[in-house]
Amino acid sequence: MTEIIRVRNAPGAAETIGAIIATSFHEQEISAWMIPPDDDRRRVMPSFFSMVTESALVHGEVHATADMSAVAVWFRKGAEPLPEIPDQDARVEAFAGPHAERIRQMGEEMDRRHPHDPHHYLAFLAVLPGHQGRRTGTRLLEEHHRRLDEAGIPAYLEASSTRSRRLYLRHGYQDLGDPMFTPGGPPMFPMWRPSNP
């Protein structure tokens, strides 16, 4: 059973994690909605996920299995809003080009629905193809949830599919309002996990 490690904010760390997430999420409906052309998606998504991970390494926690087959990207949300990524719009425009608008639309909808109470926010839980179905994602969740429960801290996420929603329901999350939709895109499911479910 591979060890779970905390990823440190070292040169290249965000890019490594971003590439793992991009590979894991490549076939997801929401990814295909954001960037429909397959080749564009392979080019753009690593930069997008690396940018978000870069912020999480400063303002949250990033965990991975020692073999780097699975990662979890968390933000710590206090009383203040989550910190903005410096030059985010310009950076997205630079690496996403014509796809920047859909990335912006998705971000705005997610921001609009994000709860204000202090919590930890699971931005991404990603398991590489070929490693899925081995409870690796479950182990990453359980490790962090154990510490959240000890500290009395709730958690929030947006499940990107009905399959992932079922996973999170098994781990104590509850639907937080109606699904969210981007124009013409698949539903995403805002979910909240109380501090001691």
Side-chain angles (χ1 to χ4, degrees), residues 63-138:
H63 303 131
T65 53
D67 64 0
M68 300 303 275
S69 64
V71 300
V73 176
W74 292 89
F75 283 90
R76 294 183 294 269
K77 165 77 170 66
E80 300 299 317
L82 288 171
E84 293 187 6
I85 296 172
D87 303 318
Q88 177 173 339
D89 289 345
R91 292 173 69 181
V92 171
E93 190 72 39
F95 64 66
H99 307 296
E101 177 59 21
R102 284 197 169 182
I103 293 174
R104 184 190 63 76
Q105 288 177 336
M106 185 188 70
E108 286 181 353
E109 181 63 15
M110 291 167 69
D111 289 346
R112 187 179 72 80
R113 296 286 298 274
H114 203 110
H116 300 293
D117 293 340
H119 60 272
H120 279 205
Y121 170 47
L122 179 59
F124 310 117
L125 177 67
V127 181
L128 286 172
H131 293 267
Q132 297 169 5
R134 302 179 185 177
R135 291 183 50 82
T136 312
T138 289

Side-chain angles (χ1 to χ4, degrees), residues 121-189:
Y121 170 47
L122 179 59
F124 310 117
L125 177 67
V127 181
L128 286 172
H131 293 267
Q132 297 169 5
R134 302 179 185 177
R135 291 183 50 82
T136 312
T138 289
R139 288 185 55 230
L140 282 167
L141 281 176
E142 289 175 345
E143 177 74 16
H144 197 72
H145 288 164
R146 179 181 56 77
R147 291 188 286 118
L148 291 183
D149 291 343
E150 288 172 355
I153 299 171
Y156 173 74
L157 56 81
E158 302 99 357
S160 58
S161 67
T162 54
R163 180 185 176 194
S164 62
R165 175 179 171 272
R166 289 193 297 270
L167 168 70
Y168 295 127
L169 286 170
R170 293 197 298 271
H171 286 275
Y173 288 85
Q174 306 161 1
D175 289 320
L176 189 64
D178 295 329
M180 64 175 69
F181 291 89
T182 47
M188 295 180 69
F189 304 91

Side-chain angles (χ1 to χ4, degrees), residues 11-77:
E15 290 75 16
T16 298
I17 300 300
I20 293 168
I21 301 168
T23 300
S24 302
F25 286 7
H26 183 78
E27 299 296 338
Q28 285 194 0
E29 279 188 83
I30 191 66
S31 299
W33 173 82
M34 275 200 306
I35 306 174
D38 192 83
D39 288 346
D40 286 3
R41 197 154 70 247
R42 292 190 191 282
R43 176 179 54 80
V44 172
M45 294 303 257
S47 296
F48 172 71
F49 292 124
S50 297
M51 179 185 71
V52 179
T53 301
E54 182 184 296
S55 181
L57 287 166
V58 176
H59 301 290
E61 301 177 32
V62 178
H63 303 131
T65 53
D67 64 0
M68 300 303 275
S69 64
V71 300
V73 176
W74 292 89
F75 283 90
R76 294 183 294 269
K77 165 77 170 66

